[in-house]
Amino acid sequence: MLESHMYELMIPRSRTPPAYLLAILFVLALGAAPRATATPGAHIVSLAPGAGRSVEVTVYSPAMRRDIPLQVLRPADTDTPAPTLYLLNGAGGGEDAATWSAQTDVSEFFAREHVNVVIPREGAFSYYTDWQQVDAGLAAKLGNNGRNMWATFLTEELPPVLDSAFATTGRNAIAGISMAATSVLDLTIRAPHLYSAAAAYSGCAMTSDLLGQAFVTLVVSLGGGDAENMWGPTDGPGWREHDPYLQAHRLPDIPIYIASGTGLAGRYDSADDPRLDGNQRMLLNQLLIGGGIEAAADYCTRALQRRTQELGRTGIVYDLRPSGTHSWGYWQDDLHRSWPLLAGALTS
C-alpha cells in the first residue's frame, strides 16, 4: 500500500544532544558483551546522538552490500535490558517526510515505555522483502545499488547486531503501516520464532490475486522499480509465497493486531487537523486518494479476518474502524491502541 506524500509536515530536530546520551554512546562505542552472534560481516558503522533519547545508527548489511541508516529510540533506563519494537514506515521507507518520527508522537509516546524502538530510514518501494534480482530503476531513483534483501537484513543480520550493541532482552515485536503492514505479516511468516507479537495498520494481505498484483506493481513502479525483479513473474510461485492471505495458515501463533478503516471521512479528515494545516488541496487528496486506498486495505483486511477465523485463529485482534482514510492520524491511534498487546507479549 502507499500513503499520500502531499500532506506531510516536517518537524525540526534538535541538534544539541543531552549529555547523558553522549556518555551512553561513549560506553557503547567501547563495545558491549555480545548476546548473539551476528551474521558474518554485519556490523555497526556509526552511532550518533539524535533528538531527545534517539540514537542515529548505521549498520552494514552484507546481503545488500551497503550501509543502512536507522533511528533507535532508547528507553530512559538504559542500564536495564529492554525489548525491541521494529517500527516500519510505509512506501517512502523513511526516505521522505512520511515517517513515524515526523508525523506522529512516537518519540513522546515511547518516552514512557521501557523499550527500544528501531525505525529503518531506508526501504522505499521495496516491500521490505528479499528481491530476486537487482533493480536498476530503484537504484537510480533512490541512489543505492539496487540490491534489496530486506527480509534477510531485518530478520537475520540486524537483530543480533542491535541486541549486542544495546544489551536488549532479546524479545522482539514488529509493526508497520501501509506497504509495510503487508511486509509485517510476511516477515512473521518468514521468521516465526523471532517476534513475540506483530501489528499491521492499513495494509493489504492479498498480494497475488489480480487486484493485489496490480497494487503491488503500482507501489513498486512509483520508485521506478520492476515488481517482477522482486518476486518473479506475476503468475509465478514467488507472488503466492509472499501472499499472507494465501499463507495465513503459516502465521505464527503470536498476538497479532490488524487494523484498517473504511475509507469514509473520520475525525482526522478535516482541514482543522494539524497535519493538514488548513490546506484544502491536501484535504481533498486525503479524502479521495487516501479514502480509496484505505477502502482497498479494508477489503483485504476483512478477507484476511474471514480466512483466519476459518482456520480457528483466536490470537489475532482485528480493529475494523467504521471510518478513516489512509493517513497518519489514524496510524498514530492504531499504534497507541495496539501497544498494550505488543507490550504484553514483549514482557511476558
Side-chain angles (χ1 to χ4, degrees):
M1 306 302 285
L2 62 148
E3 58 283 354
S4 173
H5 295 256
M6 292 192 286
Y7 48 87
E8 296 149 356
L9 303 174
M10 295 297 292
I11 296 179
R13 297 184 177 186
S14 169
R15 295 178 178 272
T16 305
Y20 78 89
L21 181 54
L22 292 176
I24 291 170
L25 291 174
F26 178 76
V27 173
L28 290 175
L30 296 179
R35 293 185 62 263
T37 301
T39 301
H43 61 274
I44 289 181
V45 176
S46 65
L47 287 164
R53 289 202 297 267
S54 70
V55 183
E56 302 297 329
V57 184
T58 302
V59 174
Y60 175 72
S61 166
M64 290 191 277
R65 302 180 191 173
R66 66 178 188 266
D67 297 342
I68 305 299
L70 311 145
Q71 181 186 31
V72 180
L73 306 178
R74 297 283 278 143
D77 177 8
T78 56
D79 293 327
T80 304
T84 302
L85 170 65
Y86 291 87
L87 189 59
L88 306 182
N89 290 299
E95 301 182 51
D96 57 8
T99 68
W100 283 104
S101 296
Q103 298 294 327
T104 74
D105 66 351
V106 65
S107 296
E108 295 81 4
F109 179 74
F110 284 111
R112 305 185 296 270
E113 306 296 336
H114 189 64
V115 64
N116 298 290
V117 181
V118 178
I119 308 175
R121 292 189 182 276
E122 276 195 19
F125 314 111
S126 71
Y127 272 87
Y128 287 110
T129 190
D130 284 354
W131 286 47
Q132 295 181 7
Q133 304 290 334
V134 172
D135 193 282
L138 283 183
K141 173 78 171 180
L142 303 175
N144 59 40
N145 61 7
R147 293 182 63 86
N148 291 287
M149 299 294 289
W150 285 99
T152 295
F153 177 67
L154 290 170
T155 65
E156 298 176 26
E157 295 177 347
L158 183 60
V161 170
L162 296 184
D163 285 348
S164 177
F166 295 109
T168 74
T169 64
R171 294 184 70 86
N172 308 291
I174 187 168
I177 59 165
S178 193
M179 175 195 82
T182 307
S183 308
V184 161
L185 299 177
D186 190 33
L187 289 167
T188 64
I189 292 171
R190 174 189 170 102
H193 303 297
L194 179 61
Y195 305 109
S196 299
Y201 318 128
S202 299
C204 182
M206 305 168 72
T207 61
S208 65
D209 65 354
L210 291 178
L211 180 62
Q213 288 175 358
F215 209 97
V216 171
T217 299
L218 173 61
V219 172
V220 172
S221 69
L222 291 175
D226 180 348
E228 293 201 349
N229 285 333
M230 184 167 67
W231 293 329
T234 53
D235 60 350
W239 288 73
R240 295 188 292 274
E241 179 70 15
H242 293 280
D243 186 323
Y245 175 82
L246 291 183
Q247 304 299 328
H249 60 286
R250 297 173 56 201
L251 286 168
D253 188 17
I254 58 175
I256 300 176
Y257 184 101
I258 303 176
S260 64
T262 59
L264 298 175
R267 60 179 298 193
Y268 297 113
D269 301 303
S270 163
D272 295 333
D273 185 86
R275 296 176 184 84
L276 298 174
D277 195 27
N279 190 311
Q280 293 294 330
R281 184 173 181 177
M282 289 195 297
L283 173 60
L284 184 62
N285 175 76
Q286 183 164 308
L287 289 169
L288 297 181
I289 299 178
I293 294 171
E294 192 67 15
D298 192 55
Y299 170 82
C300 297
T301 301
R302 291 175 186 272
L304 183 62
Q305 182 188 40
R306 292 191 295 270
R307 178 61 183 142
T308 54
Q309 287 176 341
E310 291 171 357
L311 293 170
R313 294 297 301 272
T314 59
I316 303 177
V317 175
Y318 287 92
D319 185 357
L320 303 176
R321 293 181 267 101
S323 62
T325 59
H326 204 68
S327 51
W328 283 100
Y330 302 102
W331 297 330
Q332 176 173 288
D333 286 352
D334 289 340
L335 179 61
H336 290 190
R337 284 196 295 267
S338 62
W339 176 241
L341 178 146
L342 298 173
L346 285 171
T347 56
S348 62

